[in-house]
Amino acid sequence: MLLTFFAGALTIILILLFPQRLFANKIKYKEFTVCSNDKIDDNIKIVLDKAMDLVQRSELYDPGYKYNLILCHNTLYNKIDDRLLGIGPSARPRLNNVIVKVRIDPQRNLAFPTFRKKCEIDLSYLIAHEMIHCLQAKKYGIMKFNPFRHPEFWKLEGYPEYISRQTELSGQDYSLTSEIDRYVNLERKATDMWILEEKSGCEAPNYYYKGRLMMEYLMNIKNLSYDQILKDSVSEATIFEEMIKWNDSTKKSSVVSPSVQQGK
Ligand SMILES: [Zn+2]
């Protein structure tokens, strides 16, 4: 009886960790094996190229690393995953598997989360975010990065957010200081830890947005690497406070600068 139980548990663990064989359709494309029970839309290749473009900007990028993209919306695998690990995330990393749990439209490069409310997000962003989680575990070890044991949330989620949103973050119109103002405002209005993050109406726990801003501050303004940030023991509250002071100081200097220019 006990043996049957252990054999059953082991089977489920193996299926969760190595899901490829469960899926009827597979295609290989560059570093990816895409698995799905539905017909795989060829547009997924463009989506994956975009995701890889983002991941290549990370210090964790590993050119030899191979990913499985598991498209498991509406499958038994997804139900088992929900039951064992809880509902909520649109996607999860597991070893080298990027598991996309929600409906997707590769042609429009979109994924459709439904948790809390229906919204849409960029599919390349979602995949790149999970790829960075795979690489965190690859570089620092599964014992340091797993669902039960990991660095503080702002370090765990802030960095994948920072990398996977690089298209927006490196855009000409982008301003870190206005984003910090936006975050502070959202946090003030929020009644719980969930805040509106996306213009398209998606919500996420506040540490995704806050962590991303703190990463931007530490990496772009203070020139730290992710490795240095992970090793640093300064508290989240201290860094956040420092970032807010920096944000305020940039406003003071921008008020001063016109008169400085006039003086020239
Ligand atoms: Zn994440």
Side-chain angles (χ1 to χ4, degrees):
M1 180 67 187
L2 198 62
L3 199 64
T4 319
F5 172 77
F6 280 120
L10 185 66
T11 309
I12 290 176
I13 290 168
L14 288 174
I15 286 172
L16 281 176
L17 293 177
F18 306 101
Q20 311 87 296
R21 283 161 193 240
L22 291 183
F23 292 88
N25 302 315
K26 289 179 198 72
I27 57 164
K28 281 196 187 284
Y29 178 64
K30 296 183 181 170
E31 295 86 353
F32 300 93
T33 302
V34 184
C35 306
S36 173
N37 280 343
D38 302 327
K39 187 175 177 296
I40 298 168
D41 182 337
D42 227 34
N43 285 298
I44 197 72
K45 294 176 181 172
I46 303 167
V47 173
L48 291 175
D49 281 340
K50 286 185 180 161
M52 188 53 90
D53 269 357
L54 294 164
V55 170
Q56 279 176 353
R57 304 183 198 200
S58 165
E59 69 192 58
L60 302 180
Y61 170 65
D62 177 345
Y65 194 90
K66 302 269 188 280
Y67 304 83
N68 295 319
L69 178 69
I70 311 290
L71 305 173
C72 69
H73 178 60
N74 266 344
T75 63
L76 176 63
Y77 183 78
N78 207 9
K79 289 199 183 90
I80 296 172
D81 182 277
D82 279 348
R83 185 66 67 85
L84 291 177
L85 292 152
I87 55 166
S90 305
R92 281 192 214 280
R94 192 173 297 137
L95 300 182
N96 65 330
N97 302 297
V98 169
I99 297 158
V100 176
K101 295 167 63 65
V102 295
R103 186 171 69 83
I104 61 166
D105 180 349
Q107 195 185 351
R108 291 197 294 150
N109 193 8
L110 287 175
F112 304 96
T114 53
F115 188 65
R116 280 179 68 92
K117 61 199 275 197
K118 287 185 181 172
C119 63
E120 50 183 54
I121 51 174
D122 187 289
L123 179 57
S124 296
Y125 143 76
L126 181 67
I127 293 172
H129 177 110
E130 303 307 329
M131 287 164 73
I132 294 292
H133 279 316
C134 295
L135 295 173
Q136 285 170 326
K138 164 80 170 44
K139 170 143 188 200
Y140 295 102
I142 195 78
M143 297 310 288
K144 286 191 177 153
F145 277 89
N146 65 63
F148 311 104
R149 192 157 175 257
H150 51 72
E152 296 162 87
F153 277 114
W154 74 271
K155 290 187 184 180
L156 173 72
E157 295 297 349
Y159 185 64
E161 284 294 286
Y162 171 80
I163 294 294
S164 57
R165 292 181 187 273
Q166 277 301 311
T167 315
E168 178 195 340
L169 271 51
S170 54
Q172 292 230 311
D173 306 337
Y174 182 81
S175 144
L176 174 57
T177 55
S178 358
E179 283 287 302
I180 294 172
D181 290 342
R182 181 169 173 266
Y183 174 78
V184 170
N185 203 22
L186 283 171
E187 196 191 48
R188 198 178 296 138
K189 283 191 291 191
T191 51
D192 54 23
M193 70 181 302
W194 287 81
I195 58 167
L196 186 73
E197 192 185 46
E198 297 273 341
K199 277 132 202 141
S200 58
C202 289
E203 291 183 353
N206 56 14
Y207 50 79
Y208 282 77
Y209 195 176
K210 184 182 184 182
R212 183 201 101 201
L213 294 170
M214 288 168 71
M215 283 293 153
E216 279 184 80
Y217 169 69
L218 293 174
M219 302 187 84
N220 297 4
I221 308 298
K222 306 276 284 182
N223 291 317
L224 294 177
S225 66
Y226 184 52
D227 194 61
Q228 287 170 319
I229 295 168
L230 278 179
K231 286 174 182 152
D232 195 314
S233 60
V234 181
S235 77
E236 176 180 352
T238 307
I239 296 170
F240 188 74
E241 204 178 306
E242 186 190 307
M243 181 176 80
I244 297 294
K245 276 190 192 143
W246 167 81
N247 193 31
D248 292 344
S249 74
T250 60
K251 285 168 195 161
K252 277 177 205 135
S253 60
S254 68
V255 171
V256 172
S257 59
S259 61
V260 172
Q261 279 174 356
Q262 276 169 9
K264 271 189 181 172

